Amino acid sequence: AAYLEGQKQFAEAAAEYEKIPDYQDSKTKAAHCRNEAQYVEAKVKYDAKDYDGAITAFTKLGPYLDARNWILKAKYAKASDYFGNKEYAKAAELFKELKEINDYLDSQERMEESEYQLAETAYAQKDYQAAYQGYEALGADYKDAGEKGKNAKYLYACERLNAKEYEEASDLFSNLKGYKDGQDKFNEATYAYAKECYDSQSYGEARRYFAKVPGYEDADSLWNEASYNAGISCLKYNLYESAIDYLEDVKGHSDVKEKIKEAKYGYVKSHKSRTNETTYSYLKDLKTAGYQDSRAIYNELYAWKMTVTTISNCEDSLFSMSSLSKYDTWYFSLKLSGG
């Protein structure tokens, strides 16, 4: 066994040591030779560029010698091969893993370069969504990623606009208003989406998007109509506060003031509580306007009440009607509530 170990035939040496486990330090020698055999095998795999096999073999060795460092070397070499083969997504993922392990070598820079090349490839293949997302992830200060990211995003937004995906196009162009004709295309996409929402009776959403393009075509007029219809719809479904918020913005509808009163009255009827500040505010408005029975409801909720109690002893406030006489001094306790 010792001879085989000296000849660096570790696997054979381990087998011989294991035949005499009770002799001197044979068990320790056997374990050492097994580790050495595994270590040599792992390095052979690494040299043969079988990086997965090397990683597996070195991992089995645990903390033996510098096995853990060899795992990192194998992963780095594997990531470099991915990069050389233009498999940039796999390279970026593996370099990222290495970066997170003590910033191994230049893994940060290699990861960023992999991600940049991934974005470049996507752009060349006209996958503008993946391209702009890749450039933006790198940040505007990385090489020319800032400018290329804008251009890729612009081209993707144009694709969405041409495909009549107006909401997505609007959101994309909202960040490109100062780029090329981004402002014009933002107005076009936003108005088109708002009009879609209006026609499908999604008035709240229509109102929100019309508000983004004030002065564009008839957006202001449609915003007003969307506000009115949103308020009426909310009133129909007993969403009184939302109805009021919408209707208070409306101009040019003769019934809007009455509809606001109706909404306030509906809220009061469904929230009859003297501690509810909104109920109190709405009731004051309705009472002033003389709306239906609002005054009676107001008086019911906020009327003043007085409770009078007679006591015979001011110090301990004991109440005893039987102990009171015309010769005693009478005390009265007044309790006000309500209002």
Side-chain angles (χ1 to χ4, degrees), residues 208-260:
R208 188 162 71 89
Y209 274 80
F210 280 130
K212 295 181 179 185
V213 286
Y216 184 79
E217 296 190 3
D218 58 348
D220 294 344
S221 173
L222 288 174
W223 177 86
N224 191 63
E225 292 306 304
S227 298
Y228 178 80
N229 287 317
I232 297 302
S233 179
C234 287
L235 185 57
K236 178 181 177 181
Y237 291 103
N238 302 330
L239 302 172
Y240 300 117
E241 289 181 284
S242 295
I244 293 164
D245 288 341
Y246 287 130
L247 291 170
E248 284 181 339
D249 288 335
V250 174
K251 297 178 181 178
H253 279 268
S254 58
D255 64 340
V256 73
K257 289 184 179 179
E258 198 63 25
K259 292 296 182 183
I260 290 172

Side-chain angles (χ1 to χ4, degrees), residues 15 27 41 54 64 93 129 132 162 198 216 226 238 246 252 277:
K27 286 184 179 179
E41 179 188 353
Y64 186 74
E93 183 179 355
Q129 182 183 25
Y132 96 75
N162 293 334
Y198 186 89
Y216 184 79
N238 302 330
Y246 287 130
E277 292 183 4

Side-chain angles (χ1 to χ4, degrees), residues 82-140:
Y82 279 143
F83 187 90
N85 294 328
K86 297 184 178 181
E87 297 182 74
Y88 299 121
K90 291 180 179 179
E93 183 179 355
L94 200 46
F95 281 128
K96 181 181 179 182
E97 180 185 334
L98 289 164
K99 178 186 77 73
E100 292 171 351
I101 304 173
N102 300 322
D103 282 327
Y104 185 75
L105 297 179
D106 60 346
S107 53
Q108 169 79 36
E109 292 78 8
R110 298 296 304 276
M111 178 194 75
E112 290 173 345
E113 181 59 27
S114 300
E115 290 174 346
Y116 180 80
Q117 291 301 327
L118 189 61
E120 291 274 86
T121 301
Y123 187 91
Q125 295 172 348
K126 296 186 178 181
D127 183 356
Y128 298 122
Q129 182 183 25
Y132 96 75
Q133 289 174 343
Y135 288 128
E136 285 190 348
L138 285 163

